[in-house]
Amino acid sequence: MFIRMGMRRLCAATVLLLAVVGLGGLSAEEKLAPTPPMGWNSWDSYGLTVNEAQFRANMVVMAAQLKEFGWQYVVVDEGWYLENPETASVPEALRYTINFRGQYEPAANRFPTSEFGDGFRPLSDAVHKNGLKFGIHIIRGIPKKTVLANTRIGSMHVRASVAADTTDVCPWNPDNFGVRANAAGQAWYDALMKQYASWGVDYIKVDCIASHPYKPAEIAMIHKAVGKSGRAMVLSLSPGPTALENAAEVGKNAQLWRISDDVWDYWEKPEGKTFPQSVKGQFPVIASWAKYAHPGNWPDADMLPIGMLVPTPGEGKPRASRLTEDEQRTMITLWAMARSPLFIGGNLTQMDDTMKSLLTNPGVIEVDQHSTAGHLLGQDGNVVAWAAVSKDRDKNYLALFNVGDTAVHVDKTFAEYGFIDRAEYKVRDLWMRKELGTLNAVSEELPPHGAVLLSLQSVGLGGAMVVASGVASP
């Protein structure tokens, strides 16, 4: 049977939620990332190889077709400083673009507007002119070539060798050494974040830092450096799984952090493999992190590998997403109920009507951006249930997921999911964009790996009976 939370437990959960939201003494408006960031990232479609023309083409589509629905960020992922990323399987053959300060610069053969020494500034200017925000991916640390050249760091009379920890190398990326938690290390990150601020960067995804290995000292140094940079830049930590016991520490220093391994377009993990994470595998992970989502802090369930993953995806061969339309809808629904950041992985220049409909549903986006108290209600057989409350506290949201391989019929009263006994609700199917009438029960046929997302507005009680948060308004 479903786990039904009593009013006392619900009230306690609400008090906990409000206490978490209040951390830091800042209002939502004053925080970076007051709502979960929404955008597009180049990794799932282009891997290491994205170039300026490809990036701009995706930017144009986002500005023209998705921006009005809340999609804002466009992010250049890993390896933008490599002249020949196609040789990544032979690390010793890689050619890096590094300036006289020992900092990476965009490879001019891939990003030609960087040729005259302005870095990503011309590209970020174009992003901003389109009403969007610009992001980049970096690997923590200091370039090996900078350390070998023993380059002077910023305005300090210290050299790169003092900042670098040459025993510390990212397990899956050969570019950098780690940074020591000393004055030289802080000076390195201070100079780096000022460089990105001068480029007009709005979002920095730092990799090889949130898990395997977890690097709290470097996270704290980067956070401090961002604060000194003179520009508000959202900080995202990767990869996962970030450990739950580190929630307070990462929340103090960053706005986003990955909660799992990379998620790719698998409903279940390939047989015999532990990587990557699957959509089905995310259900318990996301549930364990849901209570930590609040303005300025967003547990990140990873990108949405939907649509066309072409021409050079970061995993596997060029392809249409392996996820069915039902599985893609389930993925977005789960991410929305937990208020995860939403970053599209598919190639926007090949977006079809199906993909666009998944990304432009106002009701679903409203759940992700503005709901509260999203949490797992429980699981009955293969049916998983989540609940949340609307921003104005005038309605509840109920999501039902079929994680099984066969269709299942759900026929239950709303009271069985913990809502007010015998209450009736004006029910809307958010994915179908359809009013279902005044009901006291749900009757749905859920396809394999499918989901339904309902909004429930109470009738006869002023339309504001909010149950999932533990607060009832007369």
Side-chain angles (χ1 to χ4, degrees):
M1 295 299 293
F2 282 98
I3 300 169
R4 294 180 59 183
M5 298 179 68
M7 289 297 289
R8 183 175 299 174
R9 290 178 60 200
L10 284 165
C11 289
T14 303
V15 170
L16 174 63
L17 175 70
L18 293 174
V20 171
V21 171
L23 289 176
L26 295 175
S27 70
E29 291 73 19
E30 293 172 308
K31 289 181 181 290
L32 283 171
T35 59
M38 298 170 59
W40 175 83
N41 180 294
S42 63
W43 182 253
D44 283 4
S45 290
Y46 296 95
L48 291 168
T49 69
V50 68
N51 61 40
E52 184 167 344
Q54 293 165 333
F55 181 85
R56 284 177 179 262
N58 281 273
M59 172 193 73
V60 167
V61 175
M62 176 169 283
Q65 300 189 44
L66 301 179
K67 180 177 67 174
E68 65 181 289
F69 296 94
W71 300 92
Q72 285 186 301
Y73 292 88
V74 279
V75 181
V76 180
D77 208 87
E78 187 178 350
W80 40 266
Y81 44 80
L82 299 174
E83 295 180 4
N84 57 338
E86 66 280 357
T87 66
S89 60
V90 187
E92 59 271 19
L94 290 171
R95 298 192 302 272
Y96 298 87
T97 306
I98 300 179
N99 64 27
F100 71 91
R101 295 180 296 275
Q103 301 163 329
Y104 290 126
E105 294 280 342
N109 64 320
R110 296 168 56 201
F111 298 92
T113 59
S114 70
E115 183 178 4
F116 300 107
D118 291 328
F120 270 132
R121 187 76 210 197
L123 188 55
S124 76
D125 284 347
V127 169
H128 296 147
K129 286 178 182 177
N130 277 274
L132 302 174
K133 295 183 178 181
F134 179 64
I136 60 172
H137 169 289
I138 67 170
I139 296 290
R140 67 172 174 88
I142 184 168
K144 289 180 178 177
K145 289 184 177 294
T146 300
V147 178
L148 293 174
N150 208 16
T151 304
R152 185 186 298 276
I153 295 175
S155 61
M156 290 188 66
H157 298 293
V158 295
R159 300 283 179 170
S161 59
V162 181
D165 180 356
T166 57
T167 68
D168 177 21
V169 179
C170 181
W172 65 87
N173 183 289
D175 302 343
N176 297 347
F177 289 124
V179 172
R180 296 183 185 277
N182 59 21
Q186 186 64 62
W188 167 256
Y189 277 126
D190 288 350
L192 202 61
M193 295 305 127
K194 286 180 181 177
Q195 177 193 27
Y196 301 151
S198 76
W199 289 349
V201 170
D202 303 297
Y203 177 101
I204 303 173
K205 174 183 173 182
V206 184
D207 210 340
C208 200
I209 201 167
S211 178
H212 57 286
Y214 176 54
K215 290 289 184 177
E218 287 195 66
I219 292 171
M221 285 191 288
I222 294 170
H223 168 76
K224 184 176 180 180
V226 170
K228 295 163 65 176
S229 71
R231 184 174 180 82
M233 295 185 286
V234 171
L235 180 57
S236 170
L237 306 178
S238 189
T242 302
L244 280 166
E245 57 263 31
N246 296 328
E249 189 168 38
V250 294
K252 179 182 177 181
N253 289 295
Q255 288 73 53
L256 287 73
W257 56 90
R258 278 272 305 283
I259 62 175
S260 75
D261 277 329
D262 291 5
V263 175
W264 279 96
D265 50 329
Y266 297 95
W267 174 252
E268 295 188 85
K269 287 183 180 180
E271 188 174 353
K273 294 186 177 182
T274 59
F275 180 92
Q277 174 68 307
S278 66
V279 175
K280 185 178 180 180
Q282 281 295 72
F283 274 83
V285 177
I286 289 175
S288 70
W289 278 99
K291 68 181 180 181
Y292 295 99
H294 63 84
N297 273 179
W298 306 111
D300 182 3
D302 203 13
M303 290 180 281
L304 304 170
I306 65 175
M308 296 299 296
L309 307 178
V310 295
T312 53
E315 186 271 347
K317 297 179 179 180
R319 62 192 181 276
S321 177
R322 301 181 185 102
L323 299 174
T324 66
E325 184 177 348
D326 284 324
E327 290 166 350
Q328 293 178 51
R329 188 179 295 111
T330 287
M331 183 183 202
I332 295 172
T333 304
L334 180 60
W335 270 230
M337 290 297 286
R339 303 199 68 191
S340 171
L342 300 176
F343 277 85
I344 307 158
N347 192 323
L348 296 181
T349 69
Q350 299 192 30
M351 180 168 61
D352 60 13
D353 290 343
T354 297
M355 181 179 177
K356 186 174 180 180
S357 71
L358 290 170
L359 300 176
T360 58
N361 185 300
V364 177
I365 292 172
E366 176 71 14
V367 174
D368 179 79
Q369 293 293 288
H370 299 296
S371 66
T372 63
H375 63 280
L376 172 69
L377 289 173
Q379 183 167 347
D380 185 7
N382 286 323
V383 178
V384 176
W386 275 68
V389 183
S390 69
K391 175 180 66 173
D392 296 329
R393 310 183 68 79
D394 62 341
K395 55 182 175 286
N396 295 282
Y397 299 113
L398 175 65
L400 302 175
F401 305 91
N402 177 10
V403 297
D405 298 331
T406 58
V408 61
H409 184 73
V410 176
D411 194 358
K412 289 183 177 290
T413 66
F414 294 127
E416 290 179 87
Y417 292 107
F419 298 103
I420 293 294
D421 193 20
R422 293 184 296 277
E424 291 191 328
Y425 300 87
K426 293 180 181 178
V427 181
R428 179 175 176 82
D429 186 318
L430 295 182
W431 278 114
M432 297 299 293
R433 308 188 190 200
K434 180 181 179 182
E435 301 295 338
L436 302 183
T438 301
L439 306 171
N440 65 3
V442 57
S443 181
E444 291 280 349
E445 188 79 15
L446 294 179
H449 313 164
V452 63
L453 178 55
L454 306 175
S455 72
L456 313 177
Q457 186 166 20
S458 173
V459 296
L461 293 165
M465 179 61 76
V466 179
V467 179
S469 68
V471 178
S473 301

